[in-house]
Amino acid sequence: MFSIGSLAKVKHILQKELFNGCGERVLSVVTVTKACKKKRACYLCIATTGPPVPVVTICLVKQIEQKENEYKKKRTWQLEEIKWVDGLSEQFDVHEFDMQVEKLYKWYALNLHERQNFLVVLYKQIQKFGHGMKAEFRNLPEVWLRENSPEKLSECSDNGSGGRSKIEAETEDEELPEFTALTEKEAIELTKLFSECAFRDAQLLIEKLSKELYNLDGANMQSVLASEKQVKVLMDHIDRAISEADRFEKRLDTYEEILGHAKETMEKIGGKNAMIKIANNNNIKLKEELSNIITQLDLPQSQQHILENPNLKTPEGRELAIEAAQYLQQALNSNINPALQRLVSVRDQMKRFEKWKQKFLGPVSRHLNNLFIHLSNEVGDIPLSTTEIVLSKNHLSIHQELKPYAELMHWIKAMDSKTYDGLTAVYTKSLSKIYERDIRNFFTLAKLQISEKLRSSREDLDVSTASASKRTTVSAAPYGTLGVNKEQWASGVDVSDRGHFDAVLEKVLTQLERIALNEQEFCIDFFETDIVSPPTKSNAFEELNKTSDLSQFLLVSPSATSLGGEAGSNITSFPQKKVDRQINEEIRKLMNTLFGCLEPELVSFIQSFERFDCFYSLYVLERLTQHVMSAQDTHSFLSMTFASVLVQVKRNFDRFMQQQLQSIRDAKVPKRSKCGILPYVENFEYFSQTSENFFRKSTRRTDMEKFIQLICAIFDGINIHAKEHPKTSAHVVRMENYHHMYSLLAQLKIPGLDEYKKEAKTRYNDALNAYVIQYFGRPLEKLNLFFEGVQQKIAQGVKETEISYQMAFSKQELRKVISQYPAREVKKGLENLYKKVEKHLCEEENLLQVVWHAMQEEFIEQYKFLEERIQKCYAGAMISLEFNIQDILNFFSDIARSH
């Protein structure tokens, strides 16, 4: 336990070492350790700064290790940071207490008096200097937290003669003035005083100092008494000054009352001026609005005359009519505030505008209606004499005649949608007849030009689609079918015919693009289909509420808004995507009416040749894809039309590829003695050469997948059909056909086929090895059987060097077996094998020498094995075969040359 003396010493040391430097004074110290942890003791200190605004903090102080009387602050908390303090029990003999700051701290006080003093001082400081929510104190004796309570007084009487407890004394001691240590200067003066004093007895020194202090006090009293008169004079001056101050204050009150009346008067005057200013502003704005209305609704007399009697036959008359129409449109769409639109004069003027609009609209619409019909009839009477695949340009003359009337058409669209729709219908009906005639003639010429180039059946291809049935017989398969022999194909076309068809198709698509884009550009410009027409404001005047007045638009305060600005805006906004969609739909609807026959004619043109030759679908698919992908406006009429046709062409192509797959599955094995190359493998060469350009350029993933499906189907077909031929070995069928497929795939420049090239080569090599193993076998069969027995003995534990001592495998027995295979007999056996292989293989693939070389390698491998066994088991016996490797090479070479 620490004594009170040791506590005072620690407190003095902490005050001197830590707190004097920062101007703080220690109020209380408690020596603590962390609960449940036996660590070195530390100190919780309550410190405060000096006046005028004391700041109380709680500090955690620890002693620096291995250094005596040296301390450092580890943490500091403000009073506001303490959430609550828990004494854990209301008993006096509890050492523990908890304190919740940023986290929970559990302390163990080494001295009960220090703990009590610390908690009491902390409570008083929080109550006196705490701000906001003050910390809650739990489980502490109530006597500690109350001033002059009966419990505290009784405790004090029990704790000493003076009626004061040690705790109370310590608490009051904490509130005494701060003890200040002597400065260096004061210490020097005190030392000097002691050195001048001759007394060595402290009592004598105190008596001397007391005597001197008494003398000084007397001198001070005499000085004060001597200055009494001066003090009295000073007090008189102060009284007079107070009287003057009272009079000055009364005068200020009078002035303040006068200023108050003046302020009220100025406020009333200011209010009147503000109302006058508001009235003036209202008059100015009303004048501006009326001037604006008169300016916007004024239509010159000359313009009125033109609107009533327009002259549209001459260029000058059209220009004047267009100018007058624009004046009228501007007046009808005047930006007038809805409240002002209820004025009688405004409504009367709007009615006049409506009458002039109707008078002008009638002649203009009749003139345009007659002009559309006249121009279409004029062009329709011109005969079509050209034999070239070129669409007529007569429609361009119609465009040139109608362009001067474009602004009038725009005006009609803005003013009267019903009349606009009627004129649009007349135009499309008149022009669609011309386009239908020209497009039908155009496709007729294209079909004739292609049919003239077709061989064998060119005289039967009379542009109709029924000619395909006349060119085929009952048993003939479509031209280019993979699973059928070429002799059974129906008549087809050669590569030059397909190239000609491709060139004509490109010309057809280019011409269609030109004429369709020209017409679309004209329609967009003439009918203004790229703009959604806003409703005219003349119709809106009748829908206004007639009961409202203009007062709501007059300024009633300085913050009120004017008549102009956004209040007059009556234009409805639409989402941009919706507007774009509406514009595209309007253009496509117009173009569909004009070119209604384009898509059916294009489909008929393509199908007429696809039925004749399925490979045409590849060319059509490639060309159409290029035109669709290169279109700048993917939502245009032509792009949508080509896309629709492209979908049908893709279906035809998918059907064509499906037919090829099915023909492979349905293919039959040739009945000739040698199977040779299967029909679909042989025909794949023609198919790949014809379609290579298409698949190499195709960007559609599904197209490449279908080509790969075709290759996989051929691989599977070879495996299946190899087992069905009655005379040719399955290994031979696989070997020859996989070799053929590998050669074809290696020649193609289509990306993505490397995997299938490797697959074809692997399957070919597997079939070759299987064939060699099956038919070459073991020419030295008895010798092989002999050494198989040797291997069994070795497996049973007989050493290789002792094999010759076995009766059945002696040297004499080995010589007998070897004598059965002289070089002449071996060569004769190889000649018979060559003839057998020659009968198996077809001549088209030229694989005889390849197979023969593979058999040679197999024979050499068997020879090396036998020689190795002889050398290991019969070493030194001078036993060997009657021929060597060079003899084997000569045998095979001589046999190959002789045939």
Side-chain angles (χ1 to χ4, degrees):
M1 289 292 184
F2 284 79
S3 64
I4 296 177
S6 62
L7 173 61
K9 180 180 179 181
V10 170
K11 180 178 177 182
H12 178 72
I13 293 173
L14 294 177
Q15 178 70 51
K16 182 179 179 181
E17 297 293 334
L18 286 180
F19 295 96
N20 277 346
C22 53
E24 293 180 317
R25 180 166 62 91
V26 179
L27 300 180
S28 180
V29 178
V30 59
T31 308
V32 295
T33 61
K34 289 187 178 180
C36 304
K37 293 183 180 179
K38 295 184 179 180
K39 292 188 176 181
R40 295 183 60 185
C42 53
Y43 305 97
L44 279 177
C45 304
I46 301 174
T48 180
T49 60
V53 184
V55 177
V56 182
T57 57
I58 294 90
C59 302
L60 177 63
V61 179
K62 291 187 177 181
Q63 185 177 1
I64 300 176
E65 295 182 2
Q66 299 178 356
K67 292 185 179 180
E68 187 176 358
N69 294 336
E70 289 192 21
Y71 302 88
K72 62 179 179 180
K73 294 181 182 180
K74 297 295 290 183
R75 285 186 178 84
T76 301
W77 299 284
Q78 302 293 328
L79 294 180
E80 290 76 10
E81 296 182 56
I82 302 175
K83 305 298 188 298
W84 49 262
V85 178
D86 192 351
L88 301 180
S89 176
E90 294 186 2
Q91 301 297 323
F92 292 90
D93 56 351
V94 177
H95 289 264
E96 295 85 356
F97 66 94
D98 297 345
M99 186 168 65
Q100 176 71 42
V101 196
E102 77 279 0
K103 65 177 183 178
L104 179 62
Y105 290 91
K106 293 180 177 292
W107 304 110
Y108 180 86
L110 299 184
N111 188 285
L112 290 175
H113 294 291
E114 291 181 20
R115 172 179 178 272
Q116 181 177 349
N117 178 263
F118 177 83
L119 294 176
V120 170
V121 172
L122 178 60
Y123 175 77
K124 287 184 177 181
Q125 297 301 320
I126 288 177
Q127 297 303 318
K128 186 174 182 180
F129 298 106
H131 301 289
M133 290 293 294
K134 296 181 180 180
E136 177 186 2
F137 283 77
R138 310 170 183 170
N139 301 317
L140 291 175
E142 294 183 4
V143 68
W144 293 2
L145 309 181
R146 289 208 302 255
E147 292 285 347
N148 300 325
S149 62
E151 295 85 356
K152 186 172 181 179
L153 294 175
S154 62
E155 182 188 354
C156 292
S157 62
D158 295 337
N159 286 330
S161 58
R164 291 163 54 100
S165 66
K166 294 180 181 180
I167 302 304
E168 195 172 6
E170 292 173 2
T171 304
E172 292 181 2
D173 182 63
E174 299 299 336
E175 298 176 358
L176 292 176
E178 177 186 1
F179 168 78
T180 305
L182 291 177
T183 62
E184 183 177 358
K185 182 178 180 181
E186 291 171 341
I188 294 172
E189 291 293 336
L190 186 59
T191 304
K192 182 178 179 182
L193 176 63
F194 289 156
S195 62
E196 291 175 355
C197 181
F199 301 100
R200 296 190 178 276
D201 189 350
Q203 185 63 35
L204 294 177
L205 177 60
I206 292 172
E207 290 178 357
K208 181 183 178 183
L209 292 176
S210 297
K211 185 177 181 180
E212 290 180 359
L213 179 60
Y214 177 76
N215 294 335
L216 289 174
D217 288 339
N220 286 335
M221 291 299 295
Q222 291 177 2
S223 175
V224 170
L225 292 174
S227 60
E228 183 177 359
K229 294 181 180 180
Q230 295 178 357
V231 172
K232 185 177 180 181
V233 173
L234 179 61
M235 294 301 294
D236 293 338
H237 284 295
I238 292 173
D239 291 338
R240 287 196 297 273
I242 292 172
S243 300
E244 289 295 330
D246 291 338
R247 288 196 297 274
F248 185 74
E249 187 176 356
K250 291 179 181 179
R251 187 176 296 177
L252 287 177
D253 292 340
T254 304
Y255 291 157
E256 184 178 0
E257 184 178 357
I258 295 171
L259 288 175
H261 291 298
K263 180 180 179 183
E264 292 178 2
T265 304
M266 293 302 296
E267 287 178 353
K268 291 179 181 179
I269 294 173
K272 291 180 180 180
N273 289 337
M275 295 304 296
I276 294 172
K277 185 176 181 181
I278 291 172
N280 290 337
N281 289 338
N282 283 336
N283 292 331
I284 292 171
K285 293 182 182 299
L286 182 59
K287 181 182 178 181
E288 291 175 354
E289 286 295 330
L290 292 175
S291 299
N292 182 41
I293 292 173
I294 293 171
T295 302
Q296 294 188 64
L297 299 183
D298 182 37
L299 189 64
Q301 188 68 30
S302 59
Q303 305 294 346
Q304 298 177 20
H305 177 71
I306 294 173
L307 290 172
E308 292 176 351
N309 300 291
N311 179 16
L312 303 177
K313 295 182 179 180
T314 62
E316 294 81 6
R318 283 196 298 269
E319 290 181 4
L320 292 174
I322 291 171
E323 183 180 359
Q326 290 175 346
Y327 265 107
L328 179 60
Q329 182 179 1
Q330 185 177 359
L332 285 169
N333 292 332
S334 299
N335 187 16
I336 301 175
N337 191 279
L340 298 176
Q341 292 173 8
R342 299 186 188 89
L343 295 174
V344 176
S345 58
V346 173
R347 286 188 291 178
D348 291 343
Q349 185 69 1
M350 284 296 173
K351 290 178 181 178
R352 296 188 192 98
F353 288 158
E354 283 294 323
K355 291 180 181 178
W356 287 325
K357 183 184 80 171
Q358 295 301 327
K359 287 182 179 180
F360 182 72
L361 190 61
V364 172
S365 61
R366 284 193 298 272
H367 182 81
L368 289 175
N369 184 81
N370 296 334
L371 186 62
F372 293 158
I373 297 174
H374 171 72
L375 291 175
S376 62
N377 291 336
E378 189 178 51
V379 173
D381 294 338
I382 300 175
L384 298 174
S385 57
T386 181
T387 57
E388 297 183 4
I389 308 177
V390 178
L391 276 168
S392 173
K393 297 182 179 180
N394 293 330
H395 61 283
L396 295 178
S397 62
I398 298 177
H399 295 168
Q400 290 299 120
E401 290 288 338
L402 293 178
K403 279 184 179 179
Y405 298 92
E407 294 190 28
L408 286 175
M409 198 67 191
H410 301 168
W411 182 86
I412 293 173
K413 181 178 183 180
M415 292 293 102
D416 193 321
S417 59
K418 185 177 181 181
T419 304
Y420 170 82
D421 294 338
L423 289 174
T424 304
V426 172
Y427 175 83
T428 55
K429 183 179 180 181
S430 303
L431 269 291
S432 62
K433 296 177 181 178
I434 298 175
Y435 280 124
E436 183 176 358
R437 183 198 65 173
D438 292 350
I439 290 173
R440 291 186 187 279
N441 180 71
F442 174 72
F443 278 109
T444 300
L445 293 175
K447 291 179 181 179
L448 286 173
Q449 190 172 114
I450 295 174
S451 64
E452 290 174 357
K453 297 292 181 180
L454 295 177
R455 58 181 174 83
S456 71
S457 298
R458 62 171 64 96
E459 67 277 6
D460 297 328
L461 189 61
D462 57 354
V463 187
S464 66
T465 60
S467 59
S469 60
K470 299 178 182 179
R471 297 194 303 270
T472 60
T473 61
V474 176
S475 60
Y479 188 80
T481 304
L482 289 175
V484 180
N485 289 327
K486 290 182 180 181
E487 294 78 10
Q488 298 177 1
W489 287 358
S491 58
V493 298
D494 55 23
V495 178
S496 61
D497 292 334
R498 294 197 184 99
H500 178 67
F501 170 79
D502 185 47
V504 173
L505 178 62
E506 174 62 21
K507 194 171 185 180
V508 167
L509 296 177
T510 303
Q511 289 290 316
L512 291 176
E513 280 185 344
R514 178 183 61 80
I515 190 173
L517 291 176
N518 285 340
E519 182 61 37
Q520 180 171 302
E521 290 175 1
F522 172 76
C523 289
I524 291 174
D525 180 62
F526 186 76
F527 293 101
E528 209 174 26
T529 54
D530 58 340
I531 298 176
V532 178
S533 298
T536 58
K537 295 187 178 180
S538 59
N539 298 329
F541 291 121
E542 304 299 330
E543 301 174 2
L544 295 173
N545 186 358
K546 299 180 181 180
T547 60
S548 61
D549 52 39
L550 300 178
S551 61
Q552 57 179 317
F553 295 97
L554 296 179
L555 292 175
V556 295
S557 67
S559 62
T561 57
S562 64
L563 284 170
E566 297 181 359
S569 178
N570 193 31
I571 299 176
T572 305
S573 60
F574 297 95
Q576 186 61 36
K577 290 184 178 179
K578 186 176 181 180
V579 172
D580 294 341
R581 192 183 306 113
Q582 182 178 347
I583 291 172
N584 288 328
E585 289 176 358
E586 186 175 350
I587 295 173
R588 284 199 298 271
K589 182 180 178 181
L590 185 62
M591 294 294 291
N592 270 323
T593 308
L594 287 169
F595 295 93
C597 67
L598 192 151
E599 182 175 344
E601 287 294 325
L602 180 58
V603 171
S604 174
F605 171 77
I606 293 171
Q607 288 181 348
S608 63
F609 295 102
E610 281 185 347
R611 294 191 186 98
F612 185 74
D613 184 2
C614 295
F615 284 94
Y616 279 148
S617 63
L618 302 178
Y619 293 88
V620 178
L621 186 58
E622 180 182 353
R623 287 297 175 188
L624 271 178
T625 302
Q626 290 176 356
H627 282 266
V628 171
M629 297 301 294
S630 62
Q632 294 181 353
D633 184 4
T634 56
H635 297 287
S636 65
F637 160 77
L638 191 65
S639 296
M640 299 294 286
T641 301
F642 281 176
S644 177
V645 177
L646 181 60
V647 171
Q648 300 184 45
V649 174
K650 286 180 179 179
R651 290 173 182 168
N652 295 339
F653 169 74
D654 294 342
R655 191 182 304 112
F656 167 65
M657 296 297 290
Q658 190 62 36
Q659 290 172 355
Q660 296 289 13
L661 288 172
Q662 190 61 40
S663 70
I664 294 173
R665 300 187 186 102
D666 299 340
K668 297 180 180 179
V669 179
K671 296 181 180 180
R672 53 182 180 263
S673 59
K674 292 182 180 180
C675 178
I677 305 302
L678 294 169
Y680 50 83
V681 177
E682 183 179 1
N683 296 336
F684 182 72
E685 180 177 2
Y686 175 80
F687 178 88
S688 60
Q689 291 174 354
T690 306
S691 60
E692 178 181 6
N693 188 55
F694 167 76
F695 286 109
R696 187 173 69 249
K697 295 181 181 179
S698 176
T699 57
R700 200 167 68 127
R701 181 179 178 183
T702 54
D703 295 339
M704 195 61 200
E705 288 176 352
K706 292 185 182 301
F707 187 74
I708 292 174
Q709 287 178 3
L710 207 61
I711 295 173
C712 295
I714 292 174
F715 286 173
D716 296 339
I718 292 173
N719 274 338
I720 295 172
H721 294 137
K723 304 173 184 178
E724 297 178 358
H725 198 276
K727 297 181 179 181
T728 306
S729 169
H731 297 312
V732 174
V733 176
R734 292 191 185 98
M735 177 177 61
E736 291 179 336
N737 284 275
Y738 283 131
H739 178 266
H740 193 80
M741 282 298 297
Y742 171 72
S743 301
L744 293 178
L745 294 176
Q747 296 172 12
L748 297 179
K749 297 180 180 180
I750 301 175
L753 295 182
D754 292 340
E755 178 184 352
Y756 300 95
K757 293 176 187 176
K758 295 178 182 178
E759 178 68 17
K761 188 173 184 180
T762 301
R763 295 193 181 198
Y764 156 68
N765 289 329
D766 293 343
L768 174 61
N769 294 333
Y771 176 76
V772 169
I773 292 172
Q774 179 181 359
Y775 286 94
F776 185 75
R778 295 192 295 188
L780 309 177
E781 179 66 21
K782 293 181 180 180
L783 194 57
N784 280 287
L785 291 174
F786 179 84
F787 278 102
E788 284 180 1
V790 171
Q791 286 297 115
Q792 291 178 1
K793 288 294 183 181
I794 294 174
Q796 293 172 3
V798 179
K799 296 181 180 180
E800 291 180 345
T801 55
E802 297 176 357
I803 287 294
S804 59
Y805 299 108
Q806 300 290 322
M807 183 64 67
F809 303 103
S810 63
K811 298 174 183 178
Q812 291 77 11
E813 290 297 325
L814 177 59
R815 288 190 179 97
K816 287 181 182 180
V817 176
I818 291 176
S819 64
Q820 297 179 20
Y821 295 100
R824 179 173 52 80
E825 292 297 329
V826 171
K827 184 177 182 181
K828 184 178 179 181
L830 291 175
E831 287 179 348
N832 294 332
L833 178 62
Y834 186 87
K835 293 176 182 179
K836 184 186 295 184
V837 173
E838 193 174 21
K839 290 179 181 180
H840 288 167
L841 303 179
C842 65
E843 297 178 356
E844 291 82 358
E845 285 301 298
N846 294 322
L847 291 178
L848 178 59
Q849 296 304 321
V850 177
V851 174
W852 190 240
H853 180 74
M855 289 183 171
Q856 173 185 294
E857 294 298 323
E858 178 65 21
F859 195 7
I860 292 174
E861 287 296 323
Q862 292 185 18
Y863 175 83
K864 289 180 179 179
F865 172 75
L866 294 174
E867 279 291 335
E868 180 185 1
R869 303 316 301 167
I870 292 172
Q871 295 301 323
K872 285 186 177 181
C873 298
Y874 301 93
M878 303 298 291
I879 301 175
S880 64
L881 296 174
E882 295 184 8
F883 52 87
N884 53 28
I885 292 178
Q886 187 59 44
D887 293 332
I888 295 173
L889 295 175
N890 292 335
F891 294 161
F892 278 89
S893 178
D894 293 343
I895 294 171
R897 281 198 301 267
S898 63
H899 292 78

